[in-house]
Structure formats: C-alpha cells, structure tokens
Amino acid sequence: MMFRSLAFAALLALTALSASADSLQPRDGWVVMETNKGFDQLITDLKAATKAQGMAVVTQAGPTAAAARRGITIPGNRVIGVFNNDFAVRILATSTSAMIEAPIRFYVTENPDGQATLSYKIPSHVFAPYMGEGGSELVKLAEELSQVFDAIARQASR
C-alpha cells in the first residue's frame, strides 16, 4: 500500500514537472513566434533588431545562468525589456499610470529541440487598461509601439 502511494506521488511530481516545462502557447494579446534559431543567437538578433528600430534594451532578467551556478540545468529563458525615452515622454503626457507597463518585454525561451521561441505581449494589449485615461493619443502611441514591436520580432526571427 505504501509503495503504491509513493509511486503515485512520484507520478504526480513528474507530471507537474513536465507540465511546467511545456512550450509557450498562443494566448490573447500575445505573439508567440517559433524560430529555427538557437537561444543565444535569437537573443543577439533581438538586441540588434531592437537597436535597428530605434529602441533600447533597458532590462534583462533570466534564471538560466543563476540556476547553472547552483548546479541546476534548465532551458534558456530570458526576459528583455525594450523601450525608449521618446515613447516614455509621449506616454507620460497621456497617462502617468500607463508608464507602469514600461518597458514592454520580449520573452526568449529555449525549446527541447534547441531552437528558441520569441514571445511578447502586443503593446496595444498592454496599454488597453489605460485607454480611458490616456484617450486617443495613447491609442495611437500603443498602435505605433505595436508596429515597432512587430518589426523587431520579424527582424529578429528571420
């Protein structure tokens, strides 16, 4: 009886681990782009595309390197915040509250096959809760940012 309980607990633990390691799935307000690039190459290309579109990488965070220093191997995982001062100033003119969303983030994840996925929340979706406050000018800025993020993602994923 105890053996069956332990076996069942082990099976549940394995199921939970495999479920947490699933690749990203499309969801409302997100773009999820499978690429045929490796994790490090996609990050390099994302940074180059960001600069080419007049934006800047302002934050980066990821658990992969810190986990490795602890002796734990996990797939590559990096969140890269992108913005620029021009958009910051223009958004602040419409809504102080909306700036909590800056920088908007790209998410690079390594897949089991070694290729990487590029994901991000569409800026017009990110800023939607502030449209009543920011008005038509914030709508225009969010759409402009959506076009910039689309261009960055397309360039980085080629």
Side-chain angles (χ1 to χ4, degrees), residues 5-38:
S5 295
L6 287 174
F8 183 70
L11 179 63
L12 284 177
L14 286 173
T15 302
L17 281 174
S18 66
S20 67
D22 286 344
S23 60
L24 291 172
Q25 300 300 312
R27 58 191 69 218
D28 186 40
W30 282 52
V31 172
V32 178
M33 302 172 75
E34 300 291 331
T35 75
N36 55 11
K37 295 184 177 192

Side-chain angles (χ1 to χ4, degrees), residues 38-56:
F39 178 75
D40 291 331
Q41 186 63 55
L42 184 55
I43 289 173
T44 298
D45 293 349
L46 177 61
K47 290 177 181 179
T50 296
K51 186 175 182 177
Q53 292 298 320
M55 301 295 279

Side-chain angles (χ1 to χ4, degrees), residues 48-128:
T50 296
K51 186 175 182 177
Q53 292 298 320
M55 301 295 279
V57 171
V58 295
T59 60
Q60 291 188 70
T64 310
R69 288 191 295 274
R70 295 176 45 224
I72 302 168
T73 302
I74 60 172
N77 189 292
R78 176 91 50 96
V79 176
I80 299 174
V82 171
F83 222 65
N84 74 16
N85 187 257
D86 178 59
F87 277 109
V89 169
R90 292 164 59 203
I91 287 171
L92 279 170
T94 70
S95 169
T96 301
S97 301
M99 275 303 293
I100 190 77
E101 303 298 344
I104 299 172
R105 298 169 311 273
F106 282 99
Y107 190 27
V108 180
T109 52
E110 184 177 29
N111 303 323
D113 65 2
Q115 295 178 334
T117 299
L118 178 62
S119 306
Y120 66 95
K121 289 183 182 179
I122 302 166
S124 57
H125 179 79
V126 170
F127 288 112

